[in-house]
Amino acid sequence: MPSSGSSRPAIPSRVTLKDVARLSGVSEISVSRVMRDAPNISKKLRDKVNEAADTLGYTPNRVAGALKSKSSKLVAVVLPSMSNEVFSQVLDGIEAILAQHGLNAVLGLSDYDPERELRVIRELLSWSPTGIILTGLHHNETVAKMIAQQNIPVVQIMDIEGTPLQSAVGISHTKAARAAADYLVEAGYRKPAYIGAWSERPERSHARRIAFEIRLVELGAPLVTHRIAPERSSALVGAEVTAELIKSHPDTDCVFYANDDLALGGLFHAMSAGLSIPMILQFLASTGSKSGKRPRSGCPASKHPASKWERVPLNCCWRPKPRAPRL
Amino acid sequence: MPSSGSSRPAIPSRVTLKDVARLSGVSEISVSRVMRDAPNISKKLRDKVNEAADTLGYTPNRVAGALKSKSSKLVAVVLPSMSNEVFSQVLDGIEAILAQHGLNAVLGLSDYDPERELRVIRELLSWSPTGIILTGLHHNETVAKMIAQQNIPVVQIMDIEGTPLQSAVGISHTKAARAAADYLVEAGYRKPAYIGAWSERPERSHARRIAFEIRLVELGAPLVTHRIAPERSSALVGAEVTAELIKSHPDTDCVFYANDDLALGGLFHAMSAGLSIPMILQFLASTGSKSGKRPRSGCPASKHPASKWERVPLNCCWRPKPRAPRL
DNA sequence: CATTCGATTGGTAACGCTGTCAATAATAAT
DNA sequence: ATTATTATTGACAGCGTTACCAATCGAATG
């Protein structure tokens, strides 16, 4: 109990470093170091502090720490929306790894609106995150400048075709679409069609379709037709558009869907219309459990076997400090 | 540019209140008030400050604000996982409303593990969130105590059967299951089966099954059989279990699935096995676009028509201060 | 005209923690 | 033994903002 007034119940004001320091008879900074698991702490001190902290039920105040160190254990994650299954899986993966490093995700959704995305990024940056994850590679100058000011790592996901601000993790939508075209033609299909939705809003789907079409022409099996629904993608739209497409182009022998839910709808239509769907088994197989622990080699956050240490850029662990060059 | 050394490029250190105050010739606190859109600010002052802030490209440092005010514009959101479609939709909805109020979600995933949930909650609370959203009603004393210490609003979601810490938003899984039983029996089905997965890990599904079974007995159409797969739910599991169940109990005329992906798998199986599925259209219809703006009446964050104001508990807007009683 | 009350602005002191620098003990090197 | 190096601990000063209190100004009151 940090402060106990005698007159009345007293506000159980937050337990701070100071309280722990007082109880354990060491300096505040030492408590701070123990809590952060810094290197070069004697076991004796560590034990003393931990005991006091447990007794008081101390929880570090990350806000104060972030203010002083100008970097928090938060990672800004900016996604376009949660409606697309892809992004919930992405977020799941992000969170899993962040958690292993004691980091937390602060989420921002742009709803595919660049202006809104800008606002969201600005908002999230005001939390001094230790890094930021953006979706896509198309970000304007303002974004670049804002992020540069904070000097934090940026990872852009979902796309790798273009120039990333720093680093990009994703797939080449062009190559993916070409691979799909190759696969279909090799499998013997010659009358491919394409179904997209929401007017191809996320540019990535447009890039995919174009690459798909070009490759098909190269392979001598050009697209029979394509449909881009104006609505957002959904299983219902997928089913309806598929029905219409098959009806007006009965010679179509395969369909490339821009989205998983569109494909699902198409699948429903095909099944109920009695069409043969040779790939359904593959689909089912790929719908298997998405969970399971993903082991990941991280930096050894709590082991400091050697001598001199420094924070690594990600700020989540320590590494040996390079020996300073003598003059 | 807050500080520009003449000797070298100089670190473009963060633009702060002080810089804005200097440029606009007012006090720091006034700048702070303008940025927070506090009441009782003259238009002249507001304009001066805003202009200076724009010139400098000032962005408030939420971390500092949170430290001083002991409350941030973050809302802690603790969900079990992102693998279940339900939770990504829930998160989508949460984010949409929070964004309207200038709040941001900090995400924590418990992976259905109470111990891990505790860690995550502790972690998130260290950011002085302005509120916290938990999943389910079953939380132990420690959680209750930690939250009580911070004195913030708690919303528990997904379930309303039990005693919430403060408030709960969700459905009655018991009633839902009974309603499903009623519906099926009324629709003429008499040989119901049940399929669940992952050993009924989230207690809610267990509650649902029991209520379903009881109601079915009451209605004179007891469960033919049930299957609880040990693996996590997935379409593949749904398909396999359905196949097995139908084979061993061919008289089954309807199935209650614990999860949407299980049901999807069941649907696939049924379709490819040529079974009639009277409800597929309903399913398709319900898979429609999940997006769309959800209008919501919030508190008027930026209007202060009257005289004396104070922060409202949620800390996202102002309300008139009640007149202090005279002695 | 003096007084009151509310509207508007400013000054000061933290919030709780960690970066920086410094001091002391312990150990190894010469 | 003496010096160099490393391991370990501490003191101090803010980080950038806002709570709290005080001051000023104007208009309305009596």
Side-chain angles (χ1 to χ4, degrees):
Chain A
M1 283 123 262
S3 74
S4 42
S6 48
S7 48
R8 60 180 70 186
I11 312 99
S13 71
R14 194 187 181 97
V15 182
T16 74
L17 271 186
K18 193 181 296 194
D19 300 308
V20 179
R22 197 161 29 215
L23 181 60
S24 56
V26 303
S27 70
E28 294 179 35
I29 182 67
S30 291
V31 178
S32 166
R33 283 200 270 250
V34 170
M35 299 319 290
R36 280 179 291 154
D37 202 23
N40 295 338
I41 304 276
S42 68
K43 186 172 183 323
K44 209 176 96 189
L45 198 162
R46 188 186 306 277
D47 291 344
K48 246 193 312 193
V49 170
N50 279 330
E51 193 198 316
D54 287 347
T55 311
L56 296 174
Y58 170 72
T59 305
N61 182 337
R62 265 51 167 9
V63 177
L67 175 59
K68 178 63 193 181
S69 67
K70 295 175 182 218
S71 130
S72 66
K73 291 223 174 296
L74 296 176
V75 172
V77 179
V78 184
L79 302 175
S81 105
M82 230 53 233
S83 309
N84 190 329
E85 165 101 22
V86 176
F87 293 113
S88 55
Q89 291 186 33
V90 164
L91 183 57
D92 198 36
I94 291 174
E95 224 284 338
I97 304 299
L98 291 186
Q100 289 174 21
H101 293 258
L103 299 169
N104 279 113
V106 205
L107 183 64
L109 301 183
S110 70
D111 205 25
Y112 296 97
D113 173 359
E115 206 168 305
R116 184 163 163 182
E117 184 184 45
L118 184 69
R119 270 204 308 282
V120 168
I121 294 177
R122 190 195 306 279
E123 189 102 338
L124 296 187
L125 285 180
S126 77
W127 288 105
S128 303
T130 198
I132 182 168
I133 297 177
L134 300 176
T135 305
L137 293 170
H138 302 287
H139 298 284
N140 58 39
E141 280 306 304
T142 321
V143 173
K145 226 178 293 174
M146 288 198 309
I147 293 176
Q149 262 190 25
Q150 303 238 356
N151 192 35
I152 54 173
V154 185
V155 178
Q156 288 168 291
I157 60 172
M158 305 310 286
D159 197 359
I160 55 174
E161 290 172 320
T163 318
L165 293 171
Q166 285 179 22
S167 54
V169 176
I171 65 166
S172 160
H173 292 268
T174 303
K175 282 191 190 165
R178 291 173 65 89
D182 287 340
Y183 179 78
L184 288 173
V185 171
E186 185 163 351
Y189 298 96
R190 291 289 179 278
K191 300 289 183 183
Y194 178 98
I195 291 179
W198 204 27
S199 312
E200 290 190 328
R201 271 289 273 292
E203 303 117 353
R204 294 178 284 281
S205 46
H206 182 255
R208 238 159 25 217
R209 177 169 63 82
I210 300 303
F212 186 60
E213 291 186 1
I214 291 178
R215 185 57 180 163
L216 286 176
V217 169
E218 287 175 13
L219 294 170
L223 211 60
V224 171
T225 184
H226 71 256
R227 294 284 182 286
I228 313 289
E231 313 97 285
R232 282 207 180 191
S233 80
S234 70
L236 187 57
V237 169
E240 288 173 350
V241 174
T242 303
E244 187 277 317
L245 188 145
I246 299 278
K247 194 168 172 189
S248 62
H249 293 267
D251 56 332
T252 301
D253 61 4
C254 63
V255 182
F256 184 121
Y257 290 91
N259 229 309
D260 51 2
D261 42 9
L262 290 176
L264 182 59
L267 191 52
F268 280 142
H269 171 75
M271 291 180 96
S272 58
L275 304 173
S276 102
I277 313 131
M279 294 193 208
I280 182 168
L281 286 180
Q282 282 178 42
F283 178 88
L284 270 174
S286 76
T287 316
S289 167
K290 308 160 215 156
S291 70
K293 316 296 176 185
R294 310 165 196 68
R296 175 70 163 257
S297 71
C299 43
S302 12
K303 299 190 295 185
H304 324 281
S307 44
K308 305 199 174 174
W309 296 80
E310 67 175 6
R311 285 287 190 71
V312 302
L314 194 63
N315 235 355
C316 71
C317 55
W318 308 77
R319 73 174 173 204
K321 208 184 289 181
R323 194 187 175 91
R326 287 276 196 87
L327 295 181
Chain B
M1 281 122 261
S3 76
S4 44
S6 49
S7 48
R8 58 182 70 187
I11 312 97
S13 69
R14 190 184 184 101
V15 181
T16 74
L17 273 187
K18 193 181 295 194
D19 301 308
V20 180
R22 197 158 32 212
L23 180 61
S24 56
V26 304
S27 70
E28 295 178 35
I29 182 67
S30 290
V31 178
S32 166
R33 283 199 271 250
V34 171
M35 299 319 289
R36 280 179 291 154
D37 201 23
N40 296 337
I41 305 275
S42 69
K43 186 173 183 322
K44 211 176 94 188
L45 198 162
R46 190 187 304 276
D47 290 346
K48 247 192 312 190
V49 169
N50 279 330
E51 194 197 316
D54 287 347
T55 311
L56 295 174
Y58 170 73
T59 304
N61 183 336
R62 284 356 172 51
V63 178
L67 175 59
K68 180 61 198 181
S69 67
K70 296 176 183 216
S71 127
S72 66
K73 290 223 175 296
L74 296 176
V75 172
V77 179
V78 184
L79 302 175
S81 108
M82 232 50 235
S83 309
N84 191 329
E85 166 101 23
V86 175
F87 293 113
S88 55
Q89 291 186 35
V90 164
L91 182 57
D92 198 36
I94 290 175
E95 224 285 337
I97 303 299
L98 291 186
Q100 289 174 22
H101 293 259
L103 299 169
N104 278 112
V106 205
L107 183 64
L109 301 184
S110 70
D111 203 26
Y112 295 97
D113 173 0
E115 207 168 304
R116 185 164 162 181
E117 185 185 45
L118 183 70
R119 270 204 308 280
V120 167
I121 294 176
R122 190 196 306 279
E123 190 102 338
L124 296 186
L125 286 181
S126 76
W127 288 106
S128 303
T130 198
I132 182 168
I133 297 177
L134 301 176
T135 305
L137 293 170
H138 302 287
H139 297 284
N140 58 39
E141 280 305 304
T142 321
V143 172
K145 228 178 292 175
M146 288 196 311
I147 293 176
Q149 264 190 25
Q150 303 239 354
N151 193 35
I152 55 174
V154 186
V155 178
Q156 290 168 290
I157 60 173
M158 307 309 287
D159 197 359
I160 54 174
E161 290 172 321
T163 317
L165 293 171
Q166 285 180 23
S167 53
V169 176
I171 64 165
S172 160
H173 291 268
T174 303
K175 282 191 191 164
R178 291 173 63 89
D182 287 340
Y183 178 78
L184 288 173
V185 170
E186 185 163 350
Y189 298 96
R190 290 290 178 277
K191 300 288 181 183
Y194 178 97
I195 292 179
W198 206 27
S199 312
E200 289 190 329
R201 271 289 273 292
E203 303 116 353
R204 293 178 284 282
S205 46
H206 182 256
R208 240 164 19 221
R209 177 169 64 82
I210 299 304
F212 186 60
E213 290 186 2
I214 291 176
R215 185 57 180 163
L216 286 177
V217 169
E218 287 175 12
L219 295 170
L223 211 60
V224 171
T225 184
H226 72 257
R227 295 284 182 284
I228 312 291
E231 313 96 286
R232 283 207 181 190
S233 80
S234 70
L236 186 56
V237 168
E240 288 172 349
V241 175
T242 303
E244 187 276 318
L245 188 146
I246 299 279
K247 195 167 169 190
S248 62
H249 293 267
D251 55 332
T252 300
D253 60 3
C254 62
V255 182
F256 183 122
Y257 290 91
N259 229 308
D260 50 4
D261 42 9
L262 289 176
L264 181 60
L267 191 52
F268 280 143
H269 171 75
M271 291 181 94
S272 59
L275 304 173
S276 102
I277 314 131
M279 296 192 205
I280 181 168
L281 286 181
Q282 284 179 39
F283 178 88
L284 270 175
S286 76
T287 317
S289 168
K290 308 159 214 159
S291 68
K293 318 294 176 187
R294 310 164 195 68
R296 175 71 164 256
S297 71
C299 44
S302 9
K303 299 191 293 188
H304 323 281
S307 44
K308 304 199 174 174
W309 296 80
E310 66 174 7
R311 287 286 190 71
V312 302
L314 193 62
N315 235 352
C316 72
C317 56
W318 308 77
R319 74 173 172 204
K321 206 186 289 184
R323 194 187 175 92
R326 288 275 195 88
L327 295 183

